[in-house]
C-alpha cells in the first residue's frame, strides 16, 4: 500500500487528510499516482491538476517522474507562497 497524504488547500478541497492506495503498475511514478487519483471524479480531477501541485515522496520534494512503490509515503500539497 502507498500512504497518500494531502496538505493545506488540497486537504480542505478533498475533505481527506490521507488515504491508502494499492500499489500497481499504473502508480509506478508520482505522476501515475496523481493521474489515478484524478480519475476518481471531477472534484478529484480539479484538485489533482499537476500544475497546481507539488509532490513529496518519502518526505523529499520530488519530480513527477519519481518512482513510487509499495510502502512509500506520497504527499500532495499546493505551492507555498510567502510575503
Amino acid at each position: 500500500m502507498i500512504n497518500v497524504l494531502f496538505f493545506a488547500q488540497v486537504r480542505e478541497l478533498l475533505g481527506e487528510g490521507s488515504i491508502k492506495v494499492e500499489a500497481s503498475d499504473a502508480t509506478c511514478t508520482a505522476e501515475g499516482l496523481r493521474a489515478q487519483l484524478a480519475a476518481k471524479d471531477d472534484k478529484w480531477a480539479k484538485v489533482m491538476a499537476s500544475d497546481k501541485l507539488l509532490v513529496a515522496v518519502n518526505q523529499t520534494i520530488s519530480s513527477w517522474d519519481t518512482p513510487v512503490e509499495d510502502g512509500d509515503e506520497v504527499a500532495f500539497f499546493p505551492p507555498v507562497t510567502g510575503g
Side-chain angles (χ1 to χ4, degrees):
M1 296 294 270
I2 299 168
N3 188 32
V4 184
L5 306 174
F6 306 106
F7 292 99
Q9 186 179 22
V10 177
R11 171 186 240 166
E12 292 170 21
L13 292 171
L14 293 176
E16 301 267 0
S18 67
I19 61 172
K20 301 269 188 204
V21 175
E22 189 72 37
S24 70
D25 290 341
T27 58
C28 64
T29 64
E31 172 58 25
L33 178 59
R34 186 209 61 79
Q36 179 180 337
L37 295 173
K40 289 177 74 145
D41 64 32
D42 289 342
K43 175 178 79 171
W44 282 79
K46 182 177 179 180
V47 175
M48 298 304 294
S50 63
D51 63 331
K52 299 177 185 175
L53 289 177
L54 295 176
V55 64
V57 177
N58 296 322
Q59 301 181 4
T60 301
I61 299 288
S62 303
S63 65
W64 291 109
D65 61 352
T66 300
V68 176
E69 55 190 43
D70 194 42
D72 283 348
E73 176 187 270
V74 179
F76 294 102
F77 51 96
V80 178
T81 59

